[in-house]
Amino acid sequence: QVEVVESGGRLVQTGDSLRLSCVVSTRFFDRHTMAWFRQATGKEREFISAITWSGSEFYADSVKGRFAISKDDSVNTAYLHMNNLKSEDTAKYYCACEIGGKYTDNDPRKSSSYDYWGQGTQVTVSS
């Protein structure tokens, strides 16, 4: 059973920075695609960022230049580095894992590409 566990969400002020972490209990982490999505109250879940097994990165336009995704294969962890946070970044952030992303052509920006999801971590940006 694969577990995806996010952490790092909290209440911050506009302009602050925050780092979210996502640990995945799986073998061959370096072969998987990892992503972050978020869902604000009353809105649909939206793609934020993804990183492929090879390190290719994808970003939503709304966070490009402010957020950065990274991963550390040695500890099965993906990160989302968030800078210059805005009130519109307030949402529950979800981490997702596509098992064996190295061997697929799935679009890393689509939620349907992912096999396992975490429970989410809340980020609230107060002005």
Side-chain angles (χ1 to χ4, degrees), residues 26-82:
T26 180
R27 298 174 67 190
F28 311 121
F29 182 81
D30 60 346
R31 302 178 190 178
H32 308 328
T33 298
M34 298 298 299
W36 290 92
F37 290 75
R38 70 185 181 190
Q39 187 168 19
T41 302
K43 295 188 177 181
E44 292 187 355
R45 188 174 297 188
E46 64 171 340
F47 168 78
I48 296 302
S49 183
I51 186 166
T52 69
W53 66 275
S54 62
S56 296
E57 300 172 20
F58 298 82
Y59 296 96
D61 288 343
S62 60
V63 304
K64 204 170 291 183
R66 298 190 299 122
F67 290 11
I69 193 169
S70 65
K71 65 188 180 91
D72 185 340
D73 293 338
S74 68
V75 291
N76 283 21
T77 302
Y79 303 96
L80 185 67
H81 308 265
M82 304 185 292

Side-chain angles (χ1 to χ4, degrees), residues 92-126:
K92 197 163 192 178
Y93 284 71
Y94 295 89
C95 180
C97 177
E98 180 195 15
I99 298 296
K102 179 179 182 179
Y103 308 109
T104 74
D105 285 329
N106 294 331
D107 187 339
R109 295 162 293 188
K110 293 186 176 180
S111 59
S112 58
S113 298
Y114 296 92
D115 305 295
Y116 295 95
W117 293 77
Q119 294 298 307
T121 186
Q122 180 68 36
V123 174
T124 303
V125 185
S126 173

Side-chain angles (χ1 to χ4, degrees), residues 15-27:
D16 283 353
S17 297
L18 196 61
R19 188 185 77 169
L20 304 183
S21 300
C22 172
V23 180
V24 184
S25 63
T26 180
R27 298 174 67 190

